Amino acid sequence: HAPASRPAARPGGQEKSVAMSWFYMAMQREPVVMWSCFIGALGIALPVVVPPIRESFGSTKTVPPPNPHAVAKALRGGN
């Protein structure tokens, strides 16, 4: 008989942490909210993570954006 302070072992010897059990429960109940939080966190993390990765590849030169008037003219078929 297992002590009351320790949860019984799961099959395969794995025990879920409180955070993981909350995550699984939240994904089952509100998947749209959880995916929205994930995408939002990804959007916050990308500007922090991407520049060091680009610099490690040696790509520090930035390409200037095209002139919006030239793009509009080209899309309209203008000369």
Side-chain angles (χ1 to χ4, degrees):
H1 154 322
S5 62
R6 186 168 185 220
R10 295 176 56 88
Q14 297 176 352
E15 295 179 7
K16 274 189 183 178
S17 69
V18 174
M20 288 303 291
S21 62
W22 177 86
F23 175 77
Y24 287 126
M25 185 247 343
M27 279 299 288
Q28 289 294 320
R29 290 186 180 180
E30 298 290 341
V32 173
V33 172
M34 294 301 292
W35 278 110
S36 297
C37 291
F38 173 74
I39 292 170
L42 185 65
I44 292 171
L46 280 178
V48 175
V49 174
V50 170
I53 294 173
R54 288 185 63 206
E55 289 171 5
S56 72
F57 287 126
S59 174
T60 57
K61 184 176 77 170
T62 59
V63 178
N67 183 352
H69 298 291
V71 172
K73 187 176 180 182
L75 290 174
R76 279 187 250 134
N79 293 335

